[in-house]
């Protein structure tokens, strides 16, 4: 039998590896930014075109590469970060596998320009699909500039599965945030389609957070600092009153590397226990510094998952540190038995002595006042009328009473009238019942109808909003005072994109400034107290593109608003509300499914019920 196992060519192996390393344009941004940081850059510029599908360019002022290193950097498993397997447990760099540039070069057109400080000229290399097109001497400033064009040009299936430009840009901005937050000592600039999106100067950690998420973020931050033998924690958590329904502003950094950890996130949640509303998530920006030998980073291709030697200890330290900070800054009540009692006294009263009180020693509340009995009072008890006065005028009253009785008409007992004016009118019976404050039970001719009240109301609201935004005749209610809401610059940009559709839905915007949105009118069905929640949920849906890119913005907006305003599970409804919900559902064009294509009701026939009792 002939041999059938053979080695794959390098370009095929690179394309296979690229599927793990490069999932979307944001993956390229992450790898290139991390390489620039490893090169010791103090200034990094990111240039994006068409959400990274056309161009991703990173320019840094790092140490650059020699001619040999520049050519060798595009080979698989070529890296300057580690030399032996033991180096994996003492990593101080972002990259270490040596796969990123090789994977990127296999599925894109790459141009690299680099120069070291002591060299007069640099090197320019052009690669297309793992094939080196040219390598020349070039005049370039110190550092490295790498351009990735036409991503996935030779893998059309992967390119077709990329999301819309809005979603891919959102992922790129997320990766940019993660790298920029981890390194506030480096200045970052980002351009998208020729316009400057971010300009982050070198600063401290708090200033970097404020520069990214807006000036209003400064008042939301509570510092967290803890130094132990096992773990060092520094950073900030958000105040409970500013918690959001989404998980957008949650960042863990371990040794300046962004990670995702549901276990550590639970520690933060337990520290905020009792301080957050249902469904709200606290924001945090925490840097964890641990011994590199106690963690394993080589778990996932994206390096966002880390294994710790002793997760339980980290959990306990993190939870207690956050809880201590919340108590220390009077965010949460604490019991401190070593507290100085003088701290409970207002400062204005600390220098004052015991207050003086004048007391009348001769005062006796039980002493009778002799003069009081001689004082005449104006009150006089009325004398009782004599019994003869009770019969005065009785004769005249009796005469009048007889006259009144003579005009009274008595009901005839001989006439038998119907209880109802109309024989067809009968007492209306209850036709719907609410079950567990979640389902509405109703009867139909063939059996039983069970309706999910939340999904049914979603369908009703969805079709109403879609109709209003399409016909552009939505009703609005004016607010007595404009509602001022604060958002980050990225969220303001999303609101600007959806402004027209929101106005068709019934919102009236008075002003949209840098980080402030003023709303003077809302749709009739929207309570003023829920406007911020609705907009936050809408922004989250747009960022994550729910639904997918093949739907219009109007459809997305209608679904998001319907999801936010629909009757929640657990809400009790009156009989009239139940009947109105049932009637409105079956007046919809597609009552069978919710806007997310989930069943709104189920039916059970009498035969099916009979079989249950066999």
């Amino acid at each position: 039998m002939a041999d059938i196992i053979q080695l794959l060519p390098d370009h095929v192996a690179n394309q296979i590896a690229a599927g793990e390393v490069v999932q979307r344009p944001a993956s390229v941004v992450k790898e290139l930014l991390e390489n620039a940081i490893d090169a010791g850059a103090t200034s990094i510029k990111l240039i994006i075109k068409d959400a990274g599908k056309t161009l991703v360019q990173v320019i840094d002022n790092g140490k650059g590469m020699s001619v040999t290193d520049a050519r060798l950097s595009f080979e698989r498993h070529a890296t300057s970060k580690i030399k032996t397997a033991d180096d994996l447990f003492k990593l101080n760099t972002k990259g270490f596998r040596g796969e990123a540039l090789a994977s990127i070069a296999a599925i894109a057109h790459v141009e690299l320009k680099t120069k070291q400080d002591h060299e007069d000229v640099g090197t320019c290399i052009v690669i297309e699909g793992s094939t080196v097109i040219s390598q020349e001497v070039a005049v370039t400033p110190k550092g490295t500039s790498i351009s990735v064009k036409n991503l996935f040009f030779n893998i059309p299936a992967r390119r077709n599965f990329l999301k819309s430009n809005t979603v891919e840009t959102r992922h790129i901005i997320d990766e940019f945030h993660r790298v920029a937050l981890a390194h506030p000592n480096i200045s970052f600039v980002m351009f998208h389609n020729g316009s400057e999106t971010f300009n982050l100067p070198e600063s401290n950690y708090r200033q970097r957070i404020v520069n990214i998420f807006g000036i209003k973020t400064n008042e939301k931050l509570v510092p967290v600092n803890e130094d132990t033998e096992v773990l060092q924690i520094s950073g900030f958590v958000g105040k409970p009153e500013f918690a959001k329904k989404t998980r957008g502003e949650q960042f863990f950094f371990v040794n300046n590397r962004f990670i995702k950890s549901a276990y550590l996130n639970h520690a933060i949640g337990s520290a905020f226990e009792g301080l957050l509303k249902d469904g709200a998530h606290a924001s945090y920006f925490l840097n964890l510094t641990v011994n590199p030998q106690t963690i394993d980073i080589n778990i996932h291709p994206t390096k966002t998952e880390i294994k710790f030697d002793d997760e339980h200890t980290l959990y306990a330290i993190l939870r207690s540190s956050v809880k201590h900070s919340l108590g220390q800054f009077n965010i949460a009540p604490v019991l401190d038995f070593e507290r100085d009692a003088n701290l409970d006294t207002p400062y204005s009263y600390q220098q004052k002595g015991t207050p003086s009180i004048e007391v009348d020693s001769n005062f006796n509340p039980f002493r009778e006042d002799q003069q009081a009995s001689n004082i005449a009072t104006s009150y006089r008890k009325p004398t009782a009328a004599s019994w003869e006065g009770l019969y005065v005028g009785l004769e005249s009253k009796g005469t009048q009473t007889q006259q009144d009785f003579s005009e009274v008409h008595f009901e005839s007992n001989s006439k038998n009238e119907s209880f109802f004016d109309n024989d067809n009118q009968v007492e209306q019976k209850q036709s719907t019942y609410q079950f567990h404050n979640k389902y509405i039970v109703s009867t139909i001719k063939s059996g039983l109808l069970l309706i999910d009240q939340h999904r049914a109301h979603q369908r009703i609201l969805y079709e109403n909003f879609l109709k209003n935004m399409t016909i552009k005749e939505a009703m609005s209610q004016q607010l007595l005072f404009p509602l001022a809401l604060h958002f980050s610059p990225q969220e303001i940009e999303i609101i600007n994109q959806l402004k027209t559709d929101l106005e068709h839905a019934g919102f009236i915007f008075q002003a949209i400034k840098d980080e402030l949105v003023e709303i003077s009118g809302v749709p009739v069905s929207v309570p003023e107290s829920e406007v911020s929640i609705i907009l936050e949920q809408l922004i989250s849906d747009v960022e994550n593109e729910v639904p997918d890119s093949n739907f219009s913005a109007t459809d997305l907006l209608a679904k998001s608003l319907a999801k936010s305003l629909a009757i929640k599970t657990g809400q009790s409804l009156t009989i009239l509300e139940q009947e109105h919900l049932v009637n409105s559902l079956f007046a919809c064009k597609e009552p069978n499914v919710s806007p997310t294509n989930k069943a709104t009701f189920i039916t059970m026939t009498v035969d099916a019920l009979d079989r249950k009792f066999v």
Side-chain angles (χ1 to χ4, degrees):
M1 183 176 180
D3 299 332
I4 59 174
I5 297 178
Q6 58 183 350
L7 287 173
L8 291 175
D10 287 342
H11 68 279
V12 177
N14 288 340
Q15 285 191 11
I16 295 173
E20 296 182 352
V21 178
V22 184
Q23 300 172 353
R24 56 187 351 134
S27 305
V28 177
V29 172
K30 173 182 179 294
E31 298 293 344
L32 297 184
L33 289 178
E34 289 182 348
N35 283 344
I37 292 170
D38 288 338
T42 59
S43 176
I44 299 175
K45 183 184 295 184
L46 172 64
I47 301 173
I48 302 295
K49 286 186 179 178
D50 298 332
K53 299 174 184 177
T54 302
L55 173 67
V56 175
Q57 184 177 6
V58 173
I59 304 172
D60 67 70
N61 63 347
K63 58 187 177 182
M65 291 182 284
S66 65
V67 178
T68 305
D69 287 345
R71 179 64 185 84
L72 197 59
S73 64
F74 289 99
E75 298 296 330
R76 290 188 67 200
H77 308 303
T79 180
S80 61
K81 315 298 172 58
I82 62 173
K83 294 182 179 179
T84 64
D86 294 337
D87 293 337
L88 290 172
F89 301 101
K90 48 184 178 181
L91 288 172
N92 294 312
T93 57
K94 301 289 185 183
F96 55 87
R97 293 198 184 104
E99 294 180 337
L101 289 181
S103 300
I104 294 171
I107 54 174
H109 297 166
V110 179
E111 182 184 44
L112 172 69
K113 293 181 179 181
T114 183
K115 185 181 85 72
Q116 293 180 323
D117 192 17
H118 62 274
E119 297 289 342
D120 295 331
V121 292
T123 305
C124 177
I125 298 177
V126 178
I127 299 179
E128 296 181 1
S130 296
T131 303
V132 178
I133 303 300
S134 66
Q135 179 173 344
E136 300 174 349
V137 175
V139 177
T140 181
K142 175 205 169 185
T144 302
S145 171
I146 182 167
S147 303
V148 179
K149 305 174 184 178
N150 305 323
L151 192 63
F152 299 122
F153 79 99
N154 52 357
I155 311 178
R158 175 66 70 89
R159 188 176 180 88
N160 291 335
F161 276 101
L162 291 177
K163 302 292 185 180
S164 65
N165 286 356
T166 303
V167 176
E168 295 299 340
T169 303
R170 181 71 249 175
H171 285 288
I172 290 174
I173 291 176
D174 286 342
E175 292 293 346
F176 182 80
H177 285 173
R178 293 167 183 175
V179 176
L181 284 172
H183 300 276
N185 57 329
I186 300 176
S187 64
F188 290 87
V189 180
M190 176 178 172
F191 293 89
H192 184 219
N193 290 339
S195 62
E196 185 179 271
T197 307
F198 291 98
N199 190 346
L200 309 176
E202 181 180 349
S203 60
N204 59 34
Y205 193 44
R206 189 181 195 118
Q207 290 173 335
R208 177 57 55 91
I209 295 173
V210 171
N211 289 336
I212 291 178
F213 295 102
I215 300 175
K216 198 69 177 176
T217 312
N218 190 36
E219 65 183 62
K220 306 177 184 179
L221 301 178
V222 178
V224 179
N225 288 287
E226 193 67 39
D227 191 356
T228 65
E229 295 180 357
V230 180
L231 173 68
Q232 295 178 2
I233 303 174
S234 64
F236 301 90
V237 294
K239 294 180 181 178
E241 59 265 30
F242 297 105
K244 296 184 178 181
K245 293 287 185 180
T246 57
R247 298 178 179 268
E249 299 175 358
Q250 296 184 339
F251 296 90
F252 274 125
F253 301 98
V254 175
N255 295 352
N256 293 329
R257 183 191 301 274
F258 173 80
I259 68 160
K260 296 178 181 178
S261 175
Y263 187 67
L264 296 182
N265 181 72
H266 188 271
I268 303 294
S270 61
F272 277 89
E273 187 176 2
L275 300 176
L276 299 177
K277 298 179 182 178
D278 292 339
H281 304 281
S283 58
Y284 52 81
F285 311 87
L286 295 175
N287 297 300
L288 312 181
T289 304
V290 299
N291 187 347
Q293 296 182 355
T294 62
I295 58 176
D296 186 4
I297 304 172
N298 194 21
I299 300 297
H300 194 271
T302 60
K303 305 168 193 163
T304 56
E305 296 181 13
I306 290 182
K307 293 293 184 182
F308 298 93
D309 279 356
D310 191 357
E311 283 188 330
H312 298 289
T313 302
L314 298 183
Y315 183 99
I317 295 174
L318 183 60
R319 178 179 178 273
S320 61
S321 299
V322 173
K323 207 161 191 177
H324 177 262
S325 293
L326 293 175
Q328 184 179 9
F329 291 92
N330 296 326
I331 306 300
V334 294
L335 289 176
D336 187 0
F337 296 103
E338 298 180 357
R339 184 185 65 225
D340 188 358
N342 291 328
L343 296 178
D344 296 337
T345 306
Y347 293 111
S348 58
Y349 289 92
Q350 283 187 357
Q351 305 299 329
K352 296 184 179 181
T354 305
S356 60
I357 302 175
E358 296 181 1
V359 179
D360 185 4
S361 59
N362 297 324
F363 176 73
N364 184 3
F366 301 103
R367 183 177 61 187
E368 295 181 357
D369 193 350
Q370 299 296 332
Q371 299 177 354
S373 60
N374 299 326
I375 299 175
T377 61
S378 60
Y379 173 74
R380 177 176 294 178
K381 185 177 180 180
T383 57
S386 61
W387 64 270
E388 292 91 347
L390 298 174
Y391 298 96
V392 175
L394 185 62
E395 295 179 357
S396 61
K397 291 181 181 179
T399 306
Q400 182 66 31
T401 304
Q402 290 176 1
Q403 294 176 357
D404 293 341
F405 275 112
S406 64
E407 297 176 0
V408 173
H409 297 280
F410 294 95
E411 183 179 0
S412 175
N413 293 329
S414 61
K415 185 177 180 181
N416 296 325
E417 295 182 354
S418 173
F419 286 104
F420 304 102
D421 296 333
N422 187 358
D423 293 339
N424 296 328
Q425 181 179 356
V426 295
E427 183 181 357
Q428 187 176 7
K429 296 182 180 180
Q430 182 177 352
S431 59
T432 59
Y433 302 89
Q434 193 175 21
F435 180 66
H436 278 258
N437 288 343
K438 184 177 182 180
Y439 301 104
I440 296 176
V441 184
S442 182
T443 57
I444 54 177
K445 186 176 181 181
S446 60
L448 195 67
L449 183 69
L450 195 62
I451 301 173
D452 187 312
Q453 65 182 34
H454 178 62
R455 294 181 183 177
H457 200 210
Q458 274 194 55
R459 165 54 63 177
I460 297 168
L461 293 177
Y462 167 69
E463 293 199 1
N464 287 339
F465 279 122
L466 205 59
K467 179 181 177 181
N468 290 338
M469 286 185 283
T470 304
I471 303 176
K472 304 177 182 179
E473 294 181 353
M475 297 292 293
S476 300
Q477 56 182 353
Q478 289 290 125
L479 300 178
L480 185 60
F481 300 102
L483 185 63
L485 302 175
H486 294 272
F487 294 97
S488 66
Q490 297 77 42
E491 293 171 339
I492 292 291
E493 183 179 352
I494 294 175
I495 292 177
N496 276 322
Q497 294 174 0
L498 300 174
K499 180 182 177 182
T500 303
D501 291 324
L502 284 170
E503 288 174 342
H504 293 163
F507 286 93
I508 300 176
F509 294 94
Q510 185 169 326
I512 300 180
K513 302 177 183 177
D514 293 338
E515 297 178 9
L516 180 68
V517 175
E518 292 184 0
I519 299 175
S520 58
V522 295
V524 176
S525 58
V526 176
E528 181 181 350
S529 58
E530 295 187 8
V531 173
S532 61
I533 300 174
I534 292 170
L535 291 181
E536 286 177 7
Q537 183 65 51
L538 174 62
I539 292 170
S540 175
D541 290 342
V542 171
E543 291 176 350
N544 300 313
E545 196 163 50
V546 182
D548 214 334
S549 58
N550 53 341
F551 290 87
S552 64
T554 304
D555 186 83
L556 167 61
L557 178 59
K559 289 185 177 182
S560 181
L561 292 174
K563 180 173 63 174
S564 300
L565 295 172
I567 296 171
K568 302 298 186 290
T569 298
Q571 183 174 342
S572 179
L573 302 177
T574 64
I575 297 175
L576 291 177
E577 290 173 338
Q578 297 171 26
E579 293 178 351
H580 179 71
L581 185 68
V582 174
N583 295 333
S584 299
L585 174 64
F586 290 101
C588 294
K589 294 181 179 180
E590 296 183 11
N592 298 330
V593 293
S594 68
T596 54
N597 291 324
K598 295 181 179 178
T600 56
F601 65 87
I602 59 172
T603 57
M604 186 172 290
T605 62
V606 177
D607 295 336
L609 288 172
D610 291 339
R611 286 195 293 271
K612 298 290 184 182
F613 293 94
V614 174

